[in-house]
Amino acid sequence: MDKILEIHEKFGLTRFSAHMDVGAPGHKEMLRSIEIYGEKIAPKIRSILNKDS
């Protein structure tokens, strides 16, 4: 999360595209990673960035 916010601050980017390795983790672990990103990380980032607006 900190890296996403740092890049946003440095470059003023408005979009973030995540790349997740599809070879190493199993299907269940990959789904869990996506779930965590969607339910916890993305909302926190949106909240932080909306406070700065």
Side-chain angles (χ1 to χ4, degrees), residues 1 5 7 15 19-23 25 27-28 32-36 39-40 44 47 50-53:
M1 184 169 73
L5 293 170
I7 289 171
R15 301 269 191 262
H19 172 80
M20 296 185 183
D21 183 10
V22 295
H27 183 72
K28 193 173 188 177
R32 182 67 182 135
S33 295
I34 294 168
E35 183 179 24
I36 290 169
E39 292 180 354
K40 297 182 181 191
K44 283 183 183 180
S47 174
N50 286 336
K51 288 179 185 175
D52 293 341
S53 301

Side-chain angles (χ1 to χ4, degrees), residues 6-49:
E6 180 181 345
I7 289 171
H8 170 77
E9 185 178 321
K10 282 184 180 180
F11 301 110
L13 303 178
T14 59
R15 301 269 191 262
F16 174 77
S17 178
H19 172 80
M20 296 185 183
D21 183 10
V22 295
H27 183 72
K28 193 173 188 177
E29 291 83 9
M30 178 61 70
L31 290 178
R32 182 67 182 135
S33 295
I34 294 168
E35 183 179 24
I36 290 169
Y37 181 80
E39 292 180 354
K40 297 182 181 191
I41 296 171
K44 283 183 183 180
I45 291 172
R46 282 189 205 105
S47 174
I48 290 167
L49 294 179

